[in-house]
Amino acid sequence: MNHNYTELGLVNTKEMFAQAMQGKYAVPAYNFNNMEQLQAIVTGCAQSGSPVILQVSGSARKYADPIFLPYMVQGAVAMARDIGSSIPIALHLDHGSSFEQAKDCIDSGFSSVMIDGSHHSFEENIKVTVEVVEYAHTFDVTVEGELGVLAGVEDEVSSEVSHYTRPEEVEEFVEKTGVDSLAISIGTSHGAHKFKLAPGELPPPLRFDILEEIEKRLPGFPIVLHGASSVTPKHVDMINEFGGNLESAVGIPVDQLRRAAGSAVCKINIDSDGRLAMTAVIRKVFAQSPAEFDPRKYLGPARDELITLIKEKNENVLGSAGKF
Ligand code: G3H
Ligand code: 13P
Ligand code: ZN
């Protein structure tokens, strides 16, 4: 089923990023797979007056159903407007893996797509990215490219080690591809186990020197940070307390993310923190109320916890609260 994103009440990321760059904050990109996550993201952002990028991976799109998904998002936008919020809302494909997939998303109502060619050679990455940009820009859909590889799982592509972005490649990549934003690798990582630390050891700082070099080479150009969950200790502890097993889970320290949000980083991707928040609450309900079997009694509190987390992130980490 074809849709144009404007019909769904969505915008692309162009204006969002221009405002974030000027205001020295970052737009949150929260991943979702289901109704409760989507409602929590939109409610949390509407209540905190933050622009938002609703982010869907290829496997999340399959899970939610590609035909059903645009209607869910249309409903979420209507819900935000009904509570009097005018926040800009974008729908973005996370870690797009091929031209065909990106095209399918654009045709079905996405306002922004990522084409992640970071695991290809530089030349192949440019080639596939150009193909997506040419198609996307025909429909005024914005495109995120990536240079450098994050450690951890990048959707269906997994990498053991991270390869930092090479600043000397960024100008040629942006110029030749025409991308609207660029994801970089400066030491963040996907998932809930970002670093293997010895007891008492602190996570290594992000490579702000690489970011600064990129900012110098691409003045005013929107940069994207993937793998930016903090892996909230409160939720990890709750999961472990109520029967889970998440030993040695560790994320990106909040002060590092705040610093990034004040730079050319205009989009910060958060998935794992939302998953942990919901799982923690669901485990608690199951442990404390073993006779409960009404999904609303565990999905409801999980959704509330996610709303709280999102408002807190927008206010205290991304600096995106109160902008709309
Ligand atoms: O970067 C990847 C995102 O966290 C999405 O993960 O493929 O499990 O939906 P997923
Ligand atoms: P986290 O796993 O750190 O939440 O990263 C999410 C992400 O980068 C989605 O693209
Ligand atoms: Zn990512």
Side-chain angles (χ1 to χ4, degrees):
M1 183 70 76
N2 281 11
H3 301 279
N4 179 293
Y5 68 80
T6 54
E7 277 166 34
L8 305 177
L10 302 167
V11 294
N12 69 24
T13 58
K14 225 179 182 64
E15 192 56 31
M16 281 186 187
F17 289 165
Q19 289 169 341
M21 183 73 74
Q22 223 202 350
K24 295 196 182 305
Y25 62 90
V27 179
Y30 295 114
N31 288 68
F32 75 96
N33 314 283
N34 68 11
M35 183 190 79
E36 282 76 12
Q37 289 172 310
L38 176 58
Q39 289 182 340
I41 294 164
V42 169
T43 304
C45 289
Q47 287 182 359
S48 54
S50 167
V52 64
I53 296 169
L54 304 170
Q55 190 158 262
V56 182
S57 69
S59 56
R61 184 170 177 245
K62 215 185 274 177
Y63 177 85
D65 187 274
I67 303 294
F68 187 62
L69 181 71
Y71 297 102
M72 281 174 83
V73 171
Q74 191 174 33
V77 174
M79 189 182 74
R81 304 304 173 232
D82 187 57
I83 58 172
S85 170
S86 60
I87 55 164
I89 304 175
L91 174 63
H92 175 80
L93 169 66
D94 193 22
H95 294 286
S97 55
S98 66
F99 170 75
E100 291 70 26
Q101 185 194 33
K103 178 182 182 300
D104 203 42
C105 287
I106 293 164
D107 293 347
S108 74
F110 282 60
S111 63
S112 178
V113 292
M114 174 187 194
I115 176 71
D116 181 358
S118 60
H119 45 283
H120 295 312
S121 68
F122 186 64
E123 290 70 27
E124 276 302 307
N125 189 356
I126 290 181
K127 196 168 155 220
V128 67
T129 307
V130 165
E131 216 184 338
V132 172
V133 169
E134 281 176 358
Y135 188 76
H137 283 181
T138 316
F139 300 93
D140 211 17
V141 167
T142 38
V143 180
E144 174 184 325
E146 179 166 344
L147 274 178
V149 180
L150 271 67
V153 179
E154 296 217 8
D155 201 8
E156 280 141 27
V157 183
S158 116
S159 175
E160 279 294 307
V161 284
S162 89
H163 302 279
Y164 297 127
T165 304
R166 292 156 50 88
E168 57 274 26
E169 290 182 345
V170 298
E171 292 145 291
E172 185 182 346
F173 185 81
V174 167
E175 199 175 302
K176 286 196 170 155
T177 59
V179 283
D180 302 282
S181 61
L182 180 68
I184 59 165
S185 173
I186 56 165
T188 59
S189 151
H190 289 105
H193 299 84
K194 299 195 188 297
F195 309 103
K196 286 195 180 80
L197 300 176
E201 194 187 355
L202 293 173
L206 299 182
R207 291 290 304 269
F208 284 101
D209 56 322
I210 297 178
L211 174 59
E212 278 159 23
E213 188 56 37
I214 293 170
E215 285 179 296
K216 256 186 235 155
R217 288 169 185 261
L218 295 174
F221 191 78
I223 301 298
V224 177
L225 208 56
H226 282 248
S229 278
S230 298
V231 187
T232 320
K234 180 178 98 171
H235 292 138
V236 173
D237 291 348
M238 262 171 87
I239 288 172
N240 289 332
E241 181 186 345
F242 295 110
N245 181 10
L246 269 185
E247 295 312 324
S248 67
V250 56
I252 309 295
V254 166
D255 64 313
Q256 301 271 298
L257 296 170
R258 277 199 201 108
R259 182 170 164 192
S263 74
V265 169
C266 289
K267 170 175 180 270
I268 290 189
N269 287 6
I270 297 165
D271 185 355
S272 299
D273 280 346
R275 297 181 183 196
L276 291 166
M278 291 191 95
T279 303
V281 168
I282 290 169
R283 279 201 173 277
K284 187 176 174 190
V285 174
F286 283 170
Q288 292 184 341
S289 311
E292 194 52 73
F293 65 96
D294 179 346
R296 292 169 298 186
K297 295 286 166 35
Y298 50 90
L299 293 175
R303 181 174 62 183
D304 290 344
E305 187 74 6
L306 188 51
I307 294 173
T308 304
L309 175 100
I310 281 165
K311 286 162 73 172
E312 199 271 327
K313 292 242 176 226
N314 294 345
E315 276 154 29
N316 301 325
V317 183
L318 290 106
S320 62
K323 303 294 177 190
F324 289 89

